[in-house]
Amino acid sequence: MPATLDELTHKVEQQLNVIYENIDLPMPITELSRLLIDEMNIPNNFVEPVPYTNHWSEKDMMLITYGDSIVEPEQKPLKTLESFMDTYLNDKINSVHILPFFPYSSDDGFSVIDYSSVNESLGDWQDIEDIAGKYKLMSDLVINHCSSRSAWFQNFIKGSGVGKDYFFTADPSDDLSQVVRPRTSPLLRETETAEGTKYVWCTFSHDQVDLDFRNPHVLLSFVSIIRQYLDSGVKVFRLDAVAFLWKIVGGPSINLPYTHEVIRLLRTLIEHTEPETVIITETNIPNTQNLTYFGNANEAHCIYNFSLPPLLVNSLITGDCTYLKRWLMSMPPAQNGTCYFNFIASHDGIGLRPAEGLLSDLELNTLVNTMQNFGGRVSWRTADTGEQKAYEINIALFDALKGTIGGEDKWGLERFICAHAIMFGLEGIPGIYIHSILGTPNDYEKLKNTHHNRSINRHRWDYKLLKEQLDSDYSSHSKVLTRMLALIDIRTKQPAFHPNATQYVLHLGLQLFGFWRQSLDRKQSIFCISNVSDEKVELRLNELNLIVTDDWVELISNKNIEDTATELELMPYQTVWLTNLKNE
């Protein structure tokens, strides 16, 4: 590992040689390497990162939210968000992912106009720094594309200034048939420029124009952006849509080796600047491809567990955990220095590509139809064959779990809590969407106003109304928050719930989904077992082989297990956490 600035420079040069091996650069690799290190402001006496170090523990719990998910008159939303977290979450949740808080033109923030500014309607950099001073802050690095209204793209149109050569173009006559995309809009955007008509590559929409990392100045610009975010207190970088970063005409243009090397390079630069900083890759792709973004513990520190939401929802609406269990058994344990980022709801929806090859077509169709019956919408993509396929289900998780394939029932709240109890117990860091912790249902009014399917799960709360709901003992929102925080409080005190603690899947039949966790020091064991059905189910404790000389307790109910050979009756959607070492 590099021990001096010269050795670090040499390592960066090697990585740059891989990225730009077939590209005629406007500068020597040695110069580019020095520029990158200077842009990151890496000091001569930098701290050498320790390989395979876990920058997380069982105490880590991430809230996922927009900067304006909660608003109050006469106050900037970032201040309102800070107030909400301080009042309701401060001693339970230690991290927050604020979705893009920059000026933008579309896609609720993911079409960035200016990476260096905070959206004035949300607040300013001081507001960001205030939150970062109290909570571990995750920020998006929207690295694949930017807004067509950005200064960079306007300079591309003019043919002069920074950005004039920042964008990837192709020709309509090129073979683009293999390109993998999550959208149905045309890939190329016809754009009139000072140099004539050009066709700009747009993976997502024509307002989101793709950047061209073959130009090293694009890389330099993003390293400068990273440096600014670090200075503002960002501790976790979410690399948005990074799988599409590198393009090659004539191929699928996803998950290319150059993309992986760019991530490795950014990690090298970041960890030699701020060793505790974490990189998370957002790659909404089939599971086997997603796993490659760990590299050899030298790419992403964390990857999103995108397969978890569709598989978990499928289990809870069918009462059968077969597919969920099969997937979990196939997941390799994350080696030290890496971990999974678990979530079951997000600002987007329930992605279906990560379930491909895991759920059958029949299961997928049943899942989609059930979600539509519960008020959900479906977003589509164009497959290689030209066929329209469901890409994601857009629905609030609270509504997604209000029934089964048989229809809505009385177990919605229990099913919803069960889903989170399962996620909280799994190997990895849990991320909880703000509208899940608040039990927010589908927002049909916002959907009607925006005509964007994803708006259904992007409600904006009035803080006064929200406080009234949360301060009431009778509202569903108060009940959800109370029970969620109770689970989180228990979870964050148990060493066996460390993101890298040992995990084994249990075989308890179709209706009981279970797994065993063991702390890194091997002192604490927790058996996490959930009834995923709408029927009572008997759990035979002797099947778990509990060590009879230990004193066992069920953490959620705080009840002692007097007889390890007895049976426990699990109510529909009840979860138990059985442990031999209770931590208060």
Side-chain angles (χ1 to χ4, degrees), residues 239-500:
L239 303 189
D240 177 66
V242 71
F244 302 97
L245 181 138
W246 202 275
K247 293 89 175 162
I248 296 178
V249 171
S253 292
I254 188 172
N255 304 323
L256 295 178
Y258 305 99
T259 295
H260 286 278
E261 195 64 43
V262 169
I263 297 170
R264 286 192 282 269
L265 171 62
L266 292 178
R267 172 160 174 171
T268 297
L269 294 169
I270 289 172
E271 68 182 1
H272 282 83
T273 308
E274 298 286 348
E276 298 295 318
T277 302
V278 170
I279 293 173
I280 298 183
T281 49
E282 188 268 334
T283 47
N284 192 356
I285 51 181
N287 191 55
T288 53
Q289 298 172 26
N290 191 31
L291 289 168
T292 65
Y293 282 86
F294 276 143
N296 183 24
N298 61 351
E299 285 188 44
H301 295 88
C302 306
I303 62 171
Y304 275 78
N305 234 339
F306 274 108
S307 297
L308 178 60
L311 293 176
L312 181 52
V313 171
N314 176 74
S315 291
L316 290 166
I317 66 169
T318 63
D320 183 341
C321 66
T322 300
Y323 292 96
L324 180 63
K325 183 169 65 175
R326 186 181 298 163
W327 162 76
L328 194 62
M329 290 173 60
S330 73
M331 292 294 283
Q335 60 181 314
N336 283 330
T338 67
C339 80
Y340 296 107
F341 185 75
N342 296 323
F343 74 106
I344 52 177
S346 75
H347 60 288
D348 287 341
I350 302 171
L352 297 179
R353 284 211 75 206
E356 292 176 7
L358 301 174
L359 290 178
S360 66
D361 288 343
L362 176 60
E363 292 283 344
L364 283 170
N365 289 335
T366 300
L367 175 60
V368 168
N369 291 336
T370 303
M371 295 301 99
Q372 287 178 312
N373 290 337
F374 294 158
R377 302 294 189 269
V378 179
S379 295
W380 302 87
R381 69 179 180 90
T382 304
D384 299 342
T385 59
E387 175 191 4
Q388 298 294 291
K389 296 193 69 173
Y391 173 69
E392 71 180 13
I393 302 164
N394 306 112
I395 191 170
L397 189 64
F398 193 72
D399 280 330
L401 296 175
K402 65 183 180 182
T404 68
I405 56 176
E408 188 173 346
D409 60 23
K410 64 179 182 179
W411 298 108
L413 177 59
E414 300 305 322
R415 193 180 289 110
F416 183 73
I417 297 298
C418 177
H420 288 87
I422 290 172
M423 178 182 73
F424 292 163
L426 287 170
E427 174 190 354
I429 298 171
I432 183 167
Y433 188 39
I434 192 168
H435 293 304
S436 291
I437 204 166
L438 297 175
T440 310
N442 291 334
D443 189 336
Y444 296 111
E445 189 64 29
K446 190 168 187 177
L447 176 64
K448 179 181 177 181
N449 291 336
T450 65
H451 303 291
H452 294 304
N453 286 348
R454 287 177 169 177
S455 296
I456 200 170
N457 195 24
R458 297 179 180 180
H459 181 70
R460 184 174 294 159
W461 274 101
D462 174 87
Y463 195 24
K464 180 181 178 181
L465 176 60
L466 177 60
K467 285 189 286 188
E468 290 174 356
Q469 293 292 316
L470 296 182
D471 295 341
S472 165
D473 293 333
Y474 304 103
S475 80
S476 62
H477 308 291
S478 174
K479 292 175 182 177
V480 167
L481 180 63
T482 299
R483 294 185 63 177
M484 289 283 202
L485 293 182
L487 285 174
I488 292 170
D489 186 50
I490 297 169
R491 191 252 182 214
T492 54
K493 294 174 181 175
Q494 314 306 320
F497 284 145
H498 186 285
N500 293 90

Side-chain angles (χ1 to χ4, degrees), residues 171-214:
D171 191 274
S173 63
D174 290 332
D175 179 10
L176 305 175
S177 60
Q178 297 181 56
V179 175
V180 174
R181 297 184 61 222
R183 298 291 186 271
T184 57
S185 57
L187 175 63
L188 300 182
R189 165 188 164 142
E190 183 176 340
T191 304
E192 297 302 324
T193 75
E195 299 175 359
T197 302
K198 294 189 177 182
Y199 296 88
V200 182
W201 193 288
C202 299
T203 299
F204 292 90
S205 78
H206 283 191
D207 184 48
Q208 295 164 291
V209 283
D210 280 35
L211 294 151
D212 187 356
F213 275 82
R214 294 176 302 179

Side-chain angles (χ1 to χ4, degrees), residues 80-107:
T80 305
L81 174 63
E82 182 183 359
S83 175
F84 164 75
M85 293 181 65
D86 290 350
T87 303
Y88 293 97
L89 311 179
N90 186 37
D91 61 341
K92 301 293 189 295
I93 292 180
N94 69 349
S95 307
V96 59
H97 172 203
I98 304 178
L99 290 153
F101 47 79
F102 320 104
Y104 70 96
S105 55
S106 64
D107 199 16

Side-chain angles (χ1 to χ4, degrees), residues 527-562:
F527 289 86
C528 306
I529 302 164
S530 298
N531 178 2
V532 299
S533 77
D534 57 4
E535 301 173 348
K536 295 179 183 179
V537 180
E538 297 291 337
L539 169 63
R540 298 180 179 87
L541 293 183
N542 57 11
E543 292 185 8
L544 303 179
N545 294 320
L546 303 181
I547 299 174
V548 296
T549 55
D550 287 347
D551 294 324
W552 292 88
V553 62
E554 200 288 295
L555 289 169
I556 298 175
S557 64
N558 195 28
K559 292 181 179 179
N560 294 324
I561 304 298
E562 304 295 345

